């Protein structure tokens, strides 16, 4: 459930995987603004980890949802 994922973020605040899972959940629920916010957080973490390939993929997701 989403509550479990949100609680996990408090314990593991640098988990790109958790942020993308939460973003996907909100995207499925048509809560696009929330989805974009979580994708942005995941993207920022990816950049912090020097994972530019993942960050660019997340940027594309953000762009797709922003249309």
């Amino acid at each position: 459930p989403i509550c479990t994922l949100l609680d996990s973020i408090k314990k593991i605040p640098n988990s790109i995987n958790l942020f993308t899972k939460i973003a996907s959940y909100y995207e499925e629920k048509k809560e696009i603004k929330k989805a974009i916010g979580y994708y942005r957080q995941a993207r920022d973490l990816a950049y912090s980890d020097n994972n530019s390939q993942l960050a660019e993929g997340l940027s594309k997701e953000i762009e797709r949802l922003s249309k």
Side-chain angles (χ1 to χ4, degrees), residues 1-13 18 22:
I2 189 65
C3 297
T4 303
L5 290 174
L6 293 172
D7 287 341
S8 296
I9 286 290
K10 295 174 187 171
K11 297 173 188 167
I12 313 168
L18 282 175
I22 294 169

Side-chain angles (χ1 to χ4, degrees), residues 38-48 55-56 58-59 62:
Y38 282 100
Y39 278 130
R40 283 183 177 147
Q41 288 177 282
R43 179 198 58 199
D44 293 346
L45 287 171
Y47 277 128
S48 293
E56 289 168 13
L58 291 166
S59 289
I62 294 164

Side-chain angles (χ1 to χ4, degrees), residues 15-26:
S15 175
I16 298 168
N17 190 39
L18 282 175
F19 279 101
T20 55
K21 283 184 180 184
I22 294 169
S24 294
Y25 169 83
Y26 282 123

Side-chain angles (χ1 to χ4, degrees), residues 21-35:
K21 283 184 180 184
I22 294 169
S24 294
Y25 169 83
Y26 282 123
E27 184 178 350
E28 288 177 20
K29 296 293 182 183
K30 306 294 185 217
E31 294 186 47
I32 302 304
K33 287 184 181 181
K34 285 185 180 181

